[in-house]
């Protein structure tokens, strides 16, 4: 259920799990995932400011921003997280 996934994703803001970044980015990039899950995940990744995977996160967020068909809610959150990580 999206609600359980969203709850788990929100905890990432406080406990950045760097080992999961690859899987998290896959979920974020997969348009078959629930939009609210993806928006919440984009927001949580913006809190990975001190992550050893920060460059990978920025690269993935930048690639998403290049996607012209990205839903506006997701685009806004991806842009905000991108800016936060710079």
């Amino acid at each position: 259920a999206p609600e359980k996934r969203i709850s788990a994703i929100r905890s990432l803001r406080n406990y950045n799990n760097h080992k999961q970044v690859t899987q998290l980015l896959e979920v974020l990039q997969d348009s078959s995932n629930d939009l609210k899950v993806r928006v919440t995940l984009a927001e949580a990744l913006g809190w990975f400011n001190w992550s050893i995977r920060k460059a990978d996160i920025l690269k993935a967020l930048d690639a998403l921003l290049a996607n012209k068909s990205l839903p506006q809610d997701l685009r806004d959150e991806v842009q905000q997280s991108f800016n936060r990580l710079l």
Side-chain angles (χ1 to χ4, degrees):
E3 296 79 23
K4 286 184 179 181
R5 292 178 79 188
I6 288 169
S7 178
I9 290 166
R10 286 195 174 126
S11 71
L12 292 171
R13 291 184 293 198
N14 300 323
Y15 307 103
N16 298 167
N17 188 337
H18 312 289
K19 293 178 183 177
Q20 285 185 320
V21 167
T22 300
Q23 293 92 333
L24 297 173
L25 293 176
E26 288 172 2
V27 171
L28 181 63
Q29 295 164 333
D30 185 350
S31 62
S32 70
N33 281 301
D34 182 84
L35 181 59
K36 288 183 182 181
V37 168
R38 294 172 72 204
V39 169
T40 304
L41 184 52
E43 189 268 338
L45 286 167
W47 292 84
F48 279 60
N49 214 27
W50 304 108
S51 175
I52 58 173
R53 302 287 310 275
K54 180 178 171 179
D56 297 327
I57 295 167
L58 281 166
K59 183 178 177 182
L61 295 176
D62 192 42
L64 277 171
L65 291 170
N67 178 351
K68 302 298 181 203
S69 65
L70 200 65
Q72 191 62 46
D73 289 352
L74 182 55
R75 175 176 299 286
D76 292 346
E77 197 58 59
V78 167
Q79 184 68 61
Q80 192 171 33
S81 288
F82 184 85
N83 293 344
R84 195 179 296 129
L85 290 172
L86 287 180

